[in-house]
């Protein structure tokens, strides 16, 4: 089959809820992927940071195959020999006390929302059904009804109401707005440490520290959605470490499995997860032995192969290279670790054209919103590969 045949099949039988670049990938290894015609590309999206460890990492693959040979799913009706070890290793790495395992990122967000509401009623003393959660404009936390209900992106929301009540939206990076929005019924502030899907929006310096203080002072649970920023992407295990804070609840997913399998988790430093009683929440696949074995190895790869330090070092090189691009139509170049973005001015005619040209030159990335290109290669990238990428990006983004 030719590339166009695969595309035709997808378009004929599939729901059109995505608009992918027309490249049909059949193989991946490290930072590289190959299409069905044998063309090789550098992946500068990493499945939205789900393949931080690189495509088809041999150690994670081996762990998955080994576990698949023994046991894959028991449901939580029974215990399994991987879950406790997964908890222990994850808690040690993230300095957490409790874990609740789920599958997708959106499920982790939903789980946190349930837990903080219950905590608000049982511990904080908020009157029944009055809990409020504060979120930020331009957030991205997933695609369920509750989550898109507090999105400010019209495309995500329009036509999907009615929505879950109990959410208040404030501007991102705005301390005063947070102070003003908190009431005696506020149970949590849910925020991304860096807004990924909004276009790698980095808050003002000191923001995380300040929101930590405000949440503590008002007995509001701070929920950091680190599903994209976590697990090494920004040059730290968790992005919260850039300002030396600890969230009450941390959400991780994506790279937790190195791209092999959906695994997400709610991590807690406080009594919040403790309010959940047997039967009040669950997931058939959450915490299954295959997921745990894969995630355990994916975490080991991150630390033992020093991918977090590498993200920091390679991110600096990549960012400096992007900053050298001369084009009046570029509004800003920014990033932290290997979560980088080039934002074009409105008169540039959109970022998609650049992504198409980069694809023709062997580099895959995706525009976010109309004017921003995110560069987020797997964290296994080396210096030579960073320069290889910059050599291709520079001429294309200079025109
Ligand atoms: C991707 C993402 C999610 C949703 O994860 P899914 O696995 O797609 O449900 C939530 N929050 C952030 C910050 C994300 O980047």
């Amino acid at each position: 089959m030719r590339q166009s045949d695969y595309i035709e099949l997808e378009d004929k039988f599939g729901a059109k809820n995505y608009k992918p670049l027309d490249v049909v990938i059949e193989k991946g290894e490290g930072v590289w992927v190959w299409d069905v015609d044998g063309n090789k590309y550098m992946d500068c999206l990493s499945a939205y940071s789900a393949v931080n460890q690189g495509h088809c990492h041999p150690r994670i693959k081996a762990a998955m195959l080994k576990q698949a040979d023994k046991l894959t799913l028991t449901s939580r009706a029974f215990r399994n020999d991987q879950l406790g070890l997964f908890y222990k290793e994850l808690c040690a790495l993230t300095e957490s006390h409790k874990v609740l395992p789920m599958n997708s990122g959106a499920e982790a967000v939903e789980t946190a929302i349930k837990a903080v509401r219950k905590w608000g009623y049982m511990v904080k003393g908020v009157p029944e059904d009055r809990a409020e959660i504060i979120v930020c404009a331009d957030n991205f936390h997933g695609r369920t009804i509750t989550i898109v209900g507090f999105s400010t992106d019209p495309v995500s929301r329009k036509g999907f109401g009615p929505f879950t009540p109990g959410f208040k939206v404030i501007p991102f990076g705005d301390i005063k707005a947070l102070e003003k929005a908190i009431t005696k019924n506020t149970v949590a502030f849910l925020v991304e440490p860096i807004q990924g899907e909004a276009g790698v929006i980095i808050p003002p310096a000191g923001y995380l520290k300040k929101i930590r203080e405000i949440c503590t002072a008002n007995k509001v649970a701070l929920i950091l959605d680190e599903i994209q920023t976590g697990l090494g992407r920004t040059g730290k295990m968790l992005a919260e470490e850039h300002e030396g804070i600890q969230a009450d609840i941390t959400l991780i997913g994506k790279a937790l499995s190195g791209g092999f399998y959906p695994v997400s988790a709610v991590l807690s430093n406080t009594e919040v997860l403790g309010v959940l009683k047997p039967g009040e929440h669950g997931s058939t696949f959450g915490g299954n032995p295959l997921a745990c074995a894969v995630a355990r190895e994916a975490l080991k790869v991150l630390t033992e192969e020093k991918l977090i330090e590498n993200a920091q070092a390679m991110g600096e090189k990549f960012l400096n290279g992007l900053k050298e691009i001369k084009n009046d139509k570029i509004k800003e170049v920014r990033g932290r670790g290997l979560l980088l973005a080039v934002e074009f001015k409105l008169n540039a005619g959109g970022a998609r054209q650049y992504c198409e040209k980069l694809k023709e030159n062997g580099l895959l990335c995706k525009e976010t919103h109309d004017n921003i290109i995110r560069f987020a290669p797997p964290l296994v990238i080396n210096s030579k590969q960073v320069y290889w990428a910059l050599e291709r990006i520079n001429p294309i983004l200079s025109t």
Side-chain angles (χ1 to χ4, degrees):
M1 269 170 46
R2 289 175 315 154
Q3 195 132 221
S4 56
D5 298 326
Y6 292 99
I7 293 168
E8 204 181 298
L9 279 181
E10 279 192 22
D11 289 352
K12 186 167 173 205
F13 295 109
K16 291 210 175 52
N17 56 330
Y18 276 93
K19 188 182 157 209
L21 288 183
D22 282 335
V23 54
V24 180
I25 299 168
E26 67 165 9
K27 193 174 98 137
E29 191 184 315
V31 299
W32 306 106
V33 293
W34 286 262
D35 70 17
V36 289
D37 295 332
N39 299 308
K40 181 182 177 183
Y41 307 86
M42 183 183 286
D43 180 2
C44 279
L45 181 64
S46 308
Y48 301 92
S49 297
V51 285
N52 282 358
Q53 296 87 339
H55 287 278
C56 296
H57 194 290
R59 280 180 58 183
I60 309 174
K61 183 179 88 178
M64 183 165 191
L65 293 176
K66 188 172 157 217
Q67 186 61 40
D69 241 2
K70 282 175 71 185
L71 181 72
T72 57
L73 182 64
T74 55
S75 87
R76 297 286 302 280
F78 313 120
R79 297 178 188 266
N80 72 71
D81 71 344
Q82 293 295 310
L83 186 60
L85 294 166
F86 168 60
Y87 285 167
K88 182 177 151 212
E89 290 160 14
L90 184 55
C91 282
L93 278 178
T94 58
E95 295 178 33
S96 309
H97 300 133
K98 286 253 182 288
V99 184
L100 199 159
M102 296 294 285
N103 312 285
S104 69
E107 286 175 308
V109 176
E110 290 270 352
T111 301
I113 290 170
K114 283 178 71 176
V116 291
R117 280 182 166 184
K118 185 113 196 278
W119 169 81
Y121 301 131
M122 291 191 44
V123 179
K124 188 170 172 172
V126 172
E128 184 74 19
D129 288 345
R130 300 287 295 280
E132 294 167 2
I133 295 172
I134 300 169
V135 299
C136 287
D138 299 321
N139 67 70
F140 183 83
H141 298 291
R143 299 296 199 168
T144 64
I145 286 289
T146 291
I147 294 170
V148 299
F150 58 77
S151 166
T152 56
D153 173 14
V155 179
S156 300
R157 282 172 61 88
K158 184 94 180 63
F160 300 117
F163 298 118
T164 312
F167 297 91
K168 216 185 244 184
V169 183
I170 62 169
F172 180 65
D174 188 336
I175 310 260
K176 289 225 165 64
L178 176 63
E179 280 173 326
K180 252 180 77 182
I182 291 174
T183 71
K184 60 184 191 324
N185 293 339
T186 304
V187 295
F189 177 40
L190 166 63
V191 63
E192 300 154 82
I194 294 172
Q195 289 189 322
E197 295 311 296
V200 189
I201 310 297
I202 303 171
Y207 180 67
L208 296 181
K209 230 186 189 118
K210 202 74 204 165
I211 61 174
R212 174 67 279 180
E213 282 168 26
I214 294 169
C215 286
T216 303
N218 291 280
K219 207 167 167 58
V220 168
L222 174 60
I223 309 172
L224 286 184
D225 180 345
E226 297 238 27
I227 291 166
Q228 187 160 155
T229 55
L231 305 177
R233 174 53 57 186
T234 71
K236 302 274 186 197
M237 176 57 85
L238 297 173
E240 64 176 21
E241 293 167 36
H242 287 291
E243 295 200 0
I245 66 154
Q246 281 204 330
D248 297 301
I249 303 251
T250 304
L251 310 177
I252 54 173
K254 293 202 165 116
L256 186 49
S257 64
F260 278 82
Y261 189 92
V263 186
S264 67
V266 177
L267 309 173
S268 151
N269 290 311
T270 61
E271 72 261 10
V272 180
L273 277 180
V275 300
L276 294 177
K277 299 276 169 332
E280 290 180 345
H281 190 64
S283 159
T284 304
F285 277 82
N288 73 72
L290 186 62
C292 292
V294 166
R296 288 179 64 203
E297 196 64 23
L299 290 169
K300 284 198 189 101
V301 165
L302 272 184
T303 51
E304 288 171 16
E305 298 191 0
K306 306 229 177 310
L307 298 187
I308 299 167
E309 294 86 339
N310 193 57
Q312 175 64 36
M314 295 303 121
E316 261 168 47
K317 281 190 214 288
F318 210 128
L319 183 64
N320 289 336
L322 291 176
K323 282 185 172 159
E324 279 169 19
I325 299 170
K326 300 217 170 13
N327 185 347
D328 291 342
K329 285 181 249 167
I330 291 178
K331 186 176 163 195
E332 192 184 36
V333 173
R334 56 179 175 260
R336 190 151 285 165
L338 279 168
L339 187 58
L340 305 154
V342 175
E343 179 167 358
F344 288 90
K345 293 178 186 164
L346 294 177
N347 67 4
R352 178 83 177 196
Q353 50 173 331
Y354 295 105
C355 296
E356 298 280 359
K357 277 187 216 150
L358 287 166
K359 185 195 90 175
E360 298 309 317
N361 284 273
L363 198 138
L364 296 181
C365 54
K366 182 78 166 54
E367 78 278 8
T368 169
H369 293 273
D370 288 337
N371 299 304
I372 303 168
I373 308 179
R374 168 179 31 198
F375 293 101
L379 311 185
V380 294
I381 195 168
N382 61 32
S383 301
K384 205 172 133 219
Q385 291 162 341
V386 169
Y387 294 124
W388 185 96
L390 289 167
E391 270 167 34
R392 273 143 196 89
I393 295 167
N394 195 317
I396 289 168
L397 264 56
S398 300
T399 58

